Amino acid sequence: MNIAAEKWYSAVKKRTSRRQYHKKLIEKRKIKDLQTFIKAVNEEFFGLRIQLIQKSVEDVFTGVVGNYGKVSGAPAYLTFIADPELKHAQEKLGYAGEAVILEATSLGLGSCWISGTFDQKEVDSDLNLRDKEKIYAVSPLGYPEDRPTITERILKAVVSSNKRLPLKELVLNEIDPDWPEWVMTALETARQAPSAMNRQPWRFRVGENTIRMLLKGKNVDPRKTKRLDCGIAMLHLEIGALKEGVRGDWEYFEGQNVARFTANI
Ligand SMILES: Cc1cc2nc3c(=O)[nH]c(=O)nc-3n(C[C@H](O)[C@H](O)[C@H](O)COP(=O)(O)O)c2cc1C
């Protein structure tokens, strides 16, 4: 993927999940820019489909416990779809989907990954799913209220949304002050990635010109969407490395190992 490192690095800093929106429509020019970007992403990632739907979201987001997942007001939403038989479907969808989220953030739009609390049937009726396709997540899109509303603030406090684990808990080896700058920026940018319930299911092991991502804990049930979270953090990690001028490649694994980034140095 052609990563707009500087632009998306700023977007990583700005992005935060937003659930309450003004009804204001998104300008046609922005919709067009985003559609062009999404088309390119869909062409690059065979087996994935990201789609922007311009429709009020009131019936899409159901909300569960408290207000987790309750979304109101947005004039459009994104859907993140993949064929589950595609190898590493979740990692790729998280990675590609976060690119769209960060591009939308750069256009001044609010978003919120939602993988649990949405109405599958309602989304399905907007999509005409093809054989085998599965909707993994959706996100509202639009102009959020200027400041998070009280409901949003309470929700964020309940899931400790603003907090991230310190690097020393996320990195499995001892942090070495001699690690190059790109490693530290890559880890720090990955650390800021969003995840469902802010569970941060990723761990990292730094090697010679490599960073390996692993799932935390032994539960690597492929039906759980932790690998979607990991795909999101993979894009963040790569943005961080590129911000320091370092390109690299990903290799995917099965089980507890998720993927390894090798820097082209
Ligand atoms: C893959 C994924 C699924 C998520 N699913 C939900 C959801 O079902 N409902 C919800 O309200 N928030 C959901 N979230 C939002 C997370 O709670 C939020 O990203 C996390 O608490 C970190 O907060 P932040 O995005 O503001 O940094 C999801 C996030 C991700 C990345």
Side-chain angles (χ1 to χ4, degrees):
M1 168 175 291
N2 193 6
I3 292 179
E6 288 294 336
K7 182 166 82 166
W8 292 354
Y9 185 79
S10 310
V12 164
K13 306 273 173 202
K14 275 190 220 130
R15 190 215 57 83
T16 169
S17 290
R18 297 303 307 270
R19 297 175 179 82
Q20 279 160 17
Y21 291 82
H22 296 297
K23 294 236 176 325
K24 178 176 170 272
L25 293 179
I26 303 169
E27 297 84 338
K28 281 196 183 131
R29 179 188 56 79
K30 288 191 183 179
I31 292 284
K32 196 166 162 249
D33 287 356
L34 208 50
Q35 295 282 31
T36 307
F37 181 76
I38 291 170
K39 185 165 177 273
V41 170
N42 286 338
E43 280 168 6
E44 182 174 342
F45 291 86
F46 177 79
L48 304 186
R49 179 151 69 108
I50 299 172
Q51 199 166 323
L52 191 164
I53 294 168
Q54 291 186 74
K55 175 188 146 176
S56 155
V57 300
E58 300 315 310
D59 298 330
V60 171
F61 299 95
T62 49
V64 277
V65 201
N67 279 302
Y68 193 62
K70 192 140 185 58
V71 174
S72 60
Y77 72 104
L78 291 165
T79 56
F80 302 98
I81 305 154
D83 174 351
E85 285 174 17
L86 172 76
K87 269 198 135 199
H88 311 293
Q90 287 190 39
E91 293 88 328
K92 288 177 183 166
L93 191 58
Y95 181 96
E98 184 69 355
V100 175
I101 292 280
L102 294 177
E103 188 65 22
T105 308
S106 306
L107 289 169
L109 300 171
S111 61
C112 178
W113 277 97
I114 301 236
S115 63
T117 52
F118 68 94
D119 187 329
Q120 285 272 353
K121 277 205 189 116
E122 191 65 36
V123 179
D124 198 357
S125 68
D126 288 337
L127 278 173
N128 290 325
L129 281 190
R130 296 176 204 137
D131 258 9
K132 292 191 192 156
E133 278 188 332
K134 176 178 164 180
I135 309 160
Y136 280 87
V138 290
S139 165
L141 209 56
Y143 291 101
E145 301 286 343
D146 293 341
R147 273 171 47 76
T149 58
I150 289 194
T151 330
E152 281 187 288
R153 290 207 297 271
I154 293 171
L155 170 66
K156 277 181 182 285
V158 171
V159 285
S160 296
S161 278
N162 299 331
K163 297 196 182 129
R164 296 293 189 266
L165 293 168
L167 271 190
K168 66 175 173 17
E169 276 186 48
L170 295 176
V171 181
L172 299 175
N173 27 359
E174 190 85 12
I175 293 179
D176 182 341
D178 290 335
W179 282 344
E181 201 64 22
W182 77 263
V183 169
M184 294 312 293
T185 310
L187 291 171
E188 191 51 53
T189 314
R191 177 178 166 262
Q192 287 158 22
S195 56
M197 296 296 288
N198 201 23
R199 60 190 163 188
Q200 305 164 69
W202 44 72
R203 294 295 177 267
F204 305 100
R205 190 179 290 285
V206 176
E208 185 81 16
N209 292 337
T210 63
I211 304 178
R212 187 183 285 264
M213 184 182 290
L214 305 93
L215 274 179
K216 178 193 172 241
K218 295 271 172 265
N219 185 357
V220 292
D221 183 346
R223 288 166 306 176
K224 297 257 161 63
T225 55
K226 286 185 185 168
R227 295 182 107 84
L228 191 61
D229 296 330
C230 285
I232 296 172
M234 284 167 66
L235 181 71
H236 279 227
L237 190 150
E238 199 174 337
I239 292 169
L242 263 173
K243 165 90 175 33
E244 303 296 347
V246 172
R247 283 187 186 283
D249 297 299
W250 285 103
E251 187 183 348
Y252 293 93
F253 300 107
E254 309 287 342
Q256 197 164 10
N257 274 314
V258 176
R260 182 178 56 211
F261 180 79
T262 303
N264 302 329
I265 294 177

